[in-house]
């Protein structure tokens, strides 16, 4: 399957699922699933194919428990156990199933709204990288608090040829500095700045702007100058898909082919979403003929 498929009209399924495209290159809303029950292997494979093809899918009115969300997500891969889960649970006085963690407003978490670059990809700092995130709206503002995704393939295609040429062969660090500040040792990983999606063949920008990117081997100032130019392309609205949350909405996305960010425009209104990230055995590569995939 090539990325061109995402530009074609998607015909709703004759059976259980109805799929409605949301943006020209990515994003879809899927109806016909009841996540209180396990999926059949055939339906699971169909949902996975929709995640890969559309990059982001939304399931509405999924009023499920944490345990049901975790059970659904782990049909697609092993949960990524977040190193900070137990520490943050203790700080927030909560007890979550292993593999799930909450995301609360930065005003509550850090005492301020972040002003740094916040476009990122979950699990880019792991090795191998994460496959998909499953994020459920638990308590959301009546207005505001949206999440926005960006199509990493469209971003790369939109870059001028001179920038594409400069990115070839470059590796970029994905450094989770918050772990070190919490006393947790974790290696700094580096991935190609441009990768080839292992399932679709699409060329993708793969830079996590929240993970302190630095082009390996470059002077810091030169690295920042190039990454700042790339970041301007990420901000173009033509590449974006915006979700207005409702309770019971479940957003699922492929972390290899998207970036995302949350909008902090809702003051001190409570906002709580709960997430499960599932892993893969995929090590990102620029050259599909040299792709290294860890054994399952």
């Amino acid at each position: 399957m090539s990325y061109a498929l995402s530009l074609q009209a998607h015909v709703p399924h004759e059976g259980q699922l109805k799929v409605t495209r949301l943006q020209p290159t990515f994003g879809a809303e899927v109806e016909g699933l009841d996540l209180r029950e396990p999926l059949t292997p055939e339906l699971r494979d169909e949902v996975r194919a929709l995640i890969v093809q559309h990059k982001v899918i939304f399931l509405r009115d999924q009023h499920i428990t944490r345990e049901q969300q975790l059970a659904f997500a782990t049909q697609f891969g092993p949960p990524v156990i977040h190193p900070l889960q137990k520490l943050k649970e203790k700080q927030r006085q909560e007890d979550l199933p292993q593999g799930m963690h909450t995301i609360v407003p930065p005003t509550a978490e850090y005492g301020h709204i972040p002003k740094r670059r916040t476009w990122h990809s979950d699990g880019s700092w792991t090795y191998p990288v994460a496959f998909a995130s499953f994020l459920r709206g638990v308590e959301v503002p009546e207005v505001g608090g949206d999440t926005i995704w960006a199509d990493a393939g469209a971003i790369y295609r939109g870059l001028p040829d001179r920038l594409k040429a400069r990115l070839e062969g470059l590796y970029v660090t994905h450094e989770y500095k918050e772990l070190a500040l919490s006393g947790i040792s974790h290696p700094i990983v580096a991935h190609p700045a441009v990768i080839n999606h292992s399932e679709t063949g699409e060329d993708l920008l793969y830079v996590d702007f929240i993970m302190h990117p630095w082009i390996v081997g470059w002077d810091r100032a030169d690295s920042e100058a190039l990454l700042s130019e790339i970041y301007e392309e990420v901000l173009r609205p033509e590449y974006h898909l915006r979700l207005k949350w409702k309770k019971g909405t479940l957003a699922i996305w492929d972390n290899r082919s998207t970036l995302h960010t949350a909008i902090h425009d809702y003051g001190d209104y409570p906002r709580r979403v709960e997430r499960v990230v599932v892993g893969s055995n995929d090590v990102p590569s620029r050259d599909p003929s040299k792709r290294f995939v860890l054994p399952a």
Side-chain angles (χ1 to χ4, degrees):
M1 179 175 66
S2 72
Y3 76 83
L5 284 177
S6 66
L7 300 175
Q8 300 171 2
H10 187 80
V11 179
H13 294 245
E14 295 180 357
Q16 182 172 342
L17 300 183
K18 177 183 177 183
V19 181
T20 304
R21 290 174 57 221
L22 300 174
Q23 290 289 91
T25 65
F26 79 136
E29 189 162 310
V30 178
E31 300 175 68
L33 286 170
D34 183 350
L35 303 189
R36 294 172 296 181
E37 300 294 335
L39 304 181
T40 64
E42 294 78 15
L43 189 54
R44 176 202 61 209
D45 292 346
E46 188 172 5
V47 172
R48 192 187 192 285
L50 290 174
I51 297 169
V52 172
Q53 177 183 354
H54 294 285
K55 303 181 182 180
V56 185
I57 65 173
F58 303 141
L59 312 180
R60 297 286 193 179
D61 300 319
Q62 300 293 335
H63 301 287
I64 56 177
T65 66
R66 290 169 171 170
E67 290 73 19
Q68 289 167 334
Q69 179 183 350
L70 183 62
F72 170 68
T74 52
Q75 293 176 87
F76 299 88
V80 175
I81 307 303
H82 200 288
L84 293 175
Q85 177 178 346
K86 293 303 178 184
L87 176 62
K88 290 190 174 183
E89 283 183 28
K90 184 177 180 180
Q91 293 172 343
R92 300 172 187 162
Q93 297 182 335
E94 60 186 5
D95 185 19
L96 300 173
Q98 188 167 354
M100 173 177 284
H101 64 282
T102 59
I103 301 173
V104 297
T107 48
E109 184 81 358
Y110 307 115
H112 67 282
I113 295 176
K115 295 182 180 179
R116 60 192 174 104
R117 298 167 179 166
T118 56
W119 286 96
H120 66 285
S121 172
D122 296 338
S124 72
W125 46 274
T126 61
Y127 188 87
V129 297
F131 162 45
S133 296
F134 298 72
L135 188 65
R136 177 171 58 98
V138 178
E139 187 173 14
V140 296
E142 291 185 10
V143 293
D146 299 351
T147 301
I148 305 178
W149 286 264
D151 182 342
I155 293 168
Y156 177 74
R157 293 191 296 276
L159 293 173
D161 289 342
R162 64 176 181 82
L163 287 182
K164 290 179 181 176
R166 292 191 72 190
L167 287 172
E168 283 299 325
L170 299 183
Y171 278 70
V172 176
T173 61
H174 298 247
E175 182 180 4
Y176 200 164
K177 287 188 176 181
E178 189 182 356
L179 295 180
L181 294 174
S182 301
I184 299 173
S185 177
H186 191 276
I188 301 172
V189 303
H191 300 298
V194 180
I195 66 172
N196 182 271
H197 195 289
S198 60
E199 297 176 73
T200 68
E202 183 180 12
D203 292 331
L204 306 162
L205 179 73
Y206 197 67
V207 179
D208 188 325
F209 291 94
I210 209 172
M211 288 293 153
H212 309 278
W214 187 351
I215 298 172
V216 175
W218 279 35
D219 174 83
R220 176 72 82 175
D222 291 340
S223 172
E224 176 59 23
L226 178 56
L227 292 176
S228 293
E229 197 168 359
I230 299 299
Y231 193 72
E232 290 303 310
E233 192 73 21
V234 174
L235 298 179
R236 287 181 57 180
E238 295 93 329
Y239 308 139
H240 296 171
L241 171 66
R242 187 164 183 149
L243 172 65
K244 295 189 177 299
W245 287 97
K246 296 180 181 179
K247 287 185 179 181
T249 296
L250 183 70
I252 310 169
W253 63 94
D254 186 338
N255 281 294
R256 300 165 297 180
S257 56
T258 60
L259 296 167
H260 63 280
T261 189
I263 306 302
H264 305 288
D265 58 355
Y266 47 92
D268 57 0
Y269 191 97
R271 181 184 186 271
R272 180 188 182 92
V273 289
E274 297 181 346
R275 183 179 65 185
V276 178
V277 179
V278 301
S280 72
N281 61 350
D282 194 359
V283 177
S285 171
R286 182 68 179 105
D287 183 350
S289 68
K290 298 179 180 179
R291 178 170 300 282
F292 174 62
V293 178
L294 296 178

